Every structure is written in C-alpha cells, then in structure tokens.
Amino acid sequence: MEASFSLPKDRIRILLLEGIHESAAKHLAAQGYNQVTCVKTALEGEALSEALKGVHMVGIRSRTQLTAPVIEAADRLMAIGCFCIGTNQVDLNAARMAGIPVFNAPFSNTRSVAELVMGEIVMLLRRIPSRSEQCHAGGWDKSAVNAWEVRGKTLGIVGYGSIGSQLSVLAEAFGLRVIFYDTVDKLPHGNATAVDTLHDLLSQSDIVSLHVPQTEQTKDMIGEAEIRAMKPNSILLNNARGTVVDIDALAAALRDGHLMGAGVDVFPKEPKGAGESFVSPLQGLPNVILTPHIGGSTMEAQERIGVEVAKRFVEYSDVGSTLGAVNFPAVQLPERPRGTRFMHVHENRPGIMRQINEIFSSEDCNIVSQYLQTDGEVGYVVVETDASPDSELDTRLLNSLRELKGTMRARLIYQR
C-alpha cells in the first residue's frame, strides 16, 4: 500500500549550499524529493536567513555557520545535514533544543584523508616541496642530505578513529611502525600499538599525524611544549582541525630547525571563499606543505558524502529514523506495510510517555510499536498505530501531541 505523508514529498523544500556534489540531489530526486535548490557558495547573515525561509532541510559543508539565531529564525527547518565530517559549524545544542537532528558523513572521506597523509609523509621525508620549488626556479640540487625512506620510521597517530585507524593500515603497508594515542581505548589494527600518554607518542615518533575533533579539550593540544617534546628532525601533520595546533609555535620550530617539516590542511582562520586572501605564519617556510582544507576533497569522497547524508534526510523524513544524528537520540526504525506513524520530540521529564500513551488511548488507537530514546534533556519517540488512514483522527492526535506540555516538535510521518 502506498504511503500518504503528512507533507507530500514534492512540497518538502531542501536547500543544498556550498556546491554539494550532485549525487545528493540525484538521490533525493530518486526518492521523490524534487524541490531541491543547489547553491554553489556559502551564505551568511541576512542572505542565509532569507534563503532558509520555508526550507525544511538544509545541507552545508564547512563554511556556512548555522548559529542559534539562524536556527531560531528558520521557520520550517526540520533537519540539517553537514556534508562533511565536522559539525562545529552548527550550534548543535540550539538545533537539538529546536527538535532538529543534525546529520553528517563521518566515514565517506576517511580514505581520501588517509591517502593525503601518506602522500605528505613521503613528500616531506624526501624534502620534495623544497626540491620542486628549486627546480621551478631553475635550480638542480640532487643531494641526499636529510632525505629519508619511509620504511622503518615511526608514525604516531593522535586520535585512532575512522581516519586514524585507516591511516594505520596504509602506513604499515609502507613499512612504518605505528603507535597511537587516544583518550578512549581502541582496538589496534595490524601491528599498531597504543601508548599511554601523548608525551610518550611525541617523544617516540618520527612523524606525528593528528586526527582529533574540534573540542575544548583539543584546542591548542599541540602547543609549544608539545612541539618541543617531539623528536628533533621530526614531522608534524595536521589534517584534523585548525584549532588543534599553535601555528606560531609550529612556525618557530620549523624556522630554528627543531622540526624537519610539516603538512597542514586546516588553519585557525580560513578564507571564507576563493576571493579572500590566505595568510599564515607557515607561508614561505621550507619543506612545508600547505593545502586549502582539501583532506576529503576528492571526487569519490564528495560523491559518497552526497549520497550518505541525502540517505539520512530520506530516512528521517520517510520513517522517522535518526540513526547517525550527532546531536539527537538515535532511533532506527523498520518500514511497515500498514499503519500510521507519528514522531514526538519532547523535554525528557517524568510522566511524559504516560501522557503520550493516554492521548492515543483516548482515541481508541491501538499502539502496535513504539521507539523511544532519550539524550540528556531531549526525548524522541516514534509511535505507530494500526489505525486505518483517517485525516480527522490524525489531525486530532497531532494537535493533542503538539499541545502537550514539554513538546518541542510533533509530526505525522505517514499513514498507510
């Protein structure tokens, strides 16, 4: 039986900013979502607020900032998609308290980042950036001084998540010894070995590669003391977040020769677009690779990310699934051949589930399944009844759910 949705798919407006790969719009269209607007650039200020009016789902990358005022002003917004790994460009708590799940793509570009790191390791150990620059200028330095093979060196990975662990596998194939440090116990891949402290890792590693999220705990976690604790003539790579490394301290260590080189893809302050100049104290230093936040910017990764987050939009809109949301209780739901399904986001307080059940009981609606998860202050429940489609009954139930004290958001997902 074909489902009837509370809001027909062809009326759900979706806005995709920052040149999100066309795979996202294609997947959405294939699922019946045709009201998709694609914009190549990021938006901010009044332009962003204006663009979000009447929009039900918005997709962004790293430059668009969805602050609390922006989220509050978005009158129809029900889901946010970050078509990347990071979500620090969104006020996650403001979205959560507005009943809006935020989805991202934590796995689709891991291979791209890991491959970039391996390329940087080879290039920096062989001092290729400086040699290439000399050749472009007409020079010809064939010296092997301070140029090294990868095999036999020690790679220290800080943050052994999806990227760090995949990098670990690639690095071992190159003959690197791999050690890692993480604040959470992780199962090592291959012959990788965990160390007890960050200082242990820094003191043992020929190359240190950072793969941690942006949090208060990771801000400036690699400062002057940590850089000076690294082995002389070692290499630092940051393809994580720009706030993790003290850039001035890194520049000083490169200038005085304590470090052999560095590869940096993320910066504390990045241009908002191609027209804005990039400035960094690392510019002009020898054996330093600077890239414009392109760790995950491969065609394969962007295509995968487009589909991954678009799938999250569809699953949330069609069946109420919040699996993969970074700020929201995670509920995964199967589709059912018949029935009526409601969702309810509410303050997590005693008695509210009893009140929700009483609403359905008062209308003689039999609840055949119920999925509840709570996360701190917020509860999310999906209720399914075996009632036949009845628009008047559904309207009464929905209105009662919305009037319930503590309700943040309620929606009729579908009726079959």
Side-chain angles (χ1 to χ4, degrees):
M1 182 181 296
E2 185 176 352
S4 174
F5 293 89
S6 59
L7 182 63
K9 292 184 180 185
D10 60 5
R11 289 176 55 193
I12 292 179
R13 294 178 55 194
I14 302 173
L15 175 64
L16 302 179
L17 301 174
E18 300 186 58
I20 288 168
H21 195 278
E22 62 183 10
S23 62
K26 286 183 178 179
H27 181 81
L28 291 165
Q31 302 301 315
Y33 295 86
N34 296 303
Q35 293 294 319
V36 181
T37 301
C38 300
V39 178
K40 291 184 177 180
T41 61
L43 296 177
E44 58 181 275
E46 288 298 322
L48 177 59
S49 296
E50 186 65 28
L52 287 174
K53 287 182 179 178
V55 167
H56 299 92
M57 295 186 276
V58 62
I60 62 174
R61 293 180 70 187
S62 59
R63 295 198 303 272
T64 300
Q65 301 294 309
L66 295 181
T67 62
V70 170
I71 292 170
E72 184 179 355
D75 54 348
R76 298 289 180 88
L77 196 60
M78 67 180 193
I80 295 170
C82 296
F83 286 71
C84 51
I85 293 179
T87 56
N88 52 289
Q89 67 275 43
V90 180
D91 189 323
L92 297 178
N93 188 60
R96 185 168 68 107
M97 299 311 293
I100 301 172
V102 178
F103 302 98
N104 68 336
F107 308 115
S108 291
N109 67 358
T110 56
R111 179 72 182 198
S112 299
V113 178
E115 286 187 0
L116 175 63
V117 174
M118 288 309 306
E120 290 175 337
I121 291 172
V122 175
M123 299 282 279
L124 293 169
L125 283 173
R126 296 293 297 274
R127 305 187 68 84
I128 298 301
S130 303
R131 301 291 175 81
S132 176
E133 184 179 355
Q134 289 172 358
C135 284
H136 277 285
W140 192 256
D141 181 6
K142 291 183 63 177
S143 172
V145 174
N146 212 17
W148 308 89
E149 289 185 355
V150 173
R151 182 176 55 181
K153 303 300 182 295
T154 297
L155 169 64
I157 301 174
V158 182
Y160 204 70
S162 56
I163 296 175
S165 58
Q166 186 158 159
L167 170 61
S168 174
V169 174
L170 294 179
E172 282 201 1
F174 269 73
L176 283 156
R177 168 181 174 251
V178 178
I179 60 176
F180 67 90
Y181 170 72
D182 201 300
T183 56
V184 178
D185 288 339
K186 297 291 180 67
L187 180 68
H189 289 228
N191 295 312
T193 304
V195 295
D196 293 331
T197 67
L198 177 60
H199 189 275
D200 289 342
L201 181 139
L202 297 174
S203 64
Q204 295 180 48
S205 301
D206 299 298
I207 309 110
V208 173
S209 189
L210 308 175
H211 301 283
V212 296
Q214 179 175 311
T215 66
E216 284 300 315
Q217 290 70 37
T218 63
K219 185 177 181 181
D220 289 332
M221 71 177 297
I222 305 297
E224 183 175 2
E226 289 74 23
I227 290 171
R228 296 297 167 178
M230 292 175 63
K231 291 175 64 174
N233 209 40
S234 59
I235 289 169
L236 179 63
L237 307 175
N238 184 18
N239 292 277
R241 288 290 177 263
T243 57
V244 174
V245 176
D246 183 333
I247 291 291
D248 291 319
L250 175 58
L254 290 162
R255 288 193 191 97
D256 65 27
H258 177 66
L259 295 185
M260 174 185 174
V264 182
D265 186 52
V266 288
F267 303 87
K269 183 178 181 182
E270 298 180 356
K272 295 180 180 179
E276 184 178 330
S277 295
F278 167 64
V279 178
S280 172
L282 299 174
Q283 288 169 317
L285 296 177
N287 208 34
V288 173
I289 298 174
L290 304 180
T291 49
H293 206 147
I294 57 168
S297 297
T298 61
M299 294 304 295
E300 296 91 343
Q302 293 307 305
E303 182 176 2
R304 289 192 297 266
I305 288 170
V307 174
E308 182 178 348
V309 182
K311 282 182 177 179
R312 300 289 185 231
F313 278 168
V314 172
E315 290 166 358
Y316 178 60
S317 179
D318 283 6
V319 300
S321 176
T322 55
L323 188 68
V326 299
N327 68 327
F328 217 71
V331 170
Q332 187 175 18
L333 306 142
E335 289 193 64
R336 294 186 181 272
R338 60 181 297 110
T340 302
R341 182 174 286 187
F342 295 83
M343 59 82 84
H344 189 266
V345 187
H346 52 266
E347 296 173 4
N348 182 21
R349 58 182 178 80
I352 195 164
M353 284 306 303
R354 174 182 53 79
Q355 294 173 294
I356 289 173
N357 291 334
E358 286 174 351
I359 288 172
F360 287 93
S361 176
S362 68
E363 294 284 356
D364 293 325
C365 283
N366 181 43
I367 296 175
V368 295
S369 59
Q370 192 174 76
Y371 304 84
L372 168 70
Q373 286 289 341
T374 59
D375 181 8
E377 303 167 284
V378 176
Y380 176 58
V381 64
V382 176
V383 179
E384 191 158 15
T385 78
D386 58 7
S388 299
D390 182 334
S391 59
E392 291 185 4
L393 171 62
D394 294 338
T395 298
R396 290 199 304 272
L397 288 167
L398 189 57
N399 287 340
S400 296
L401 289 170
R402 287 173 173 167
E403 291 169 2
L404 188 63
K405 184 179 179 181
T407 297
M408 297 177 179
R409 185 179 295 260
R411 180 167 67 95
L412 168 64
I413 299 175
Y414 65 69
Q415 48 186 204
R416 298 179 192 268

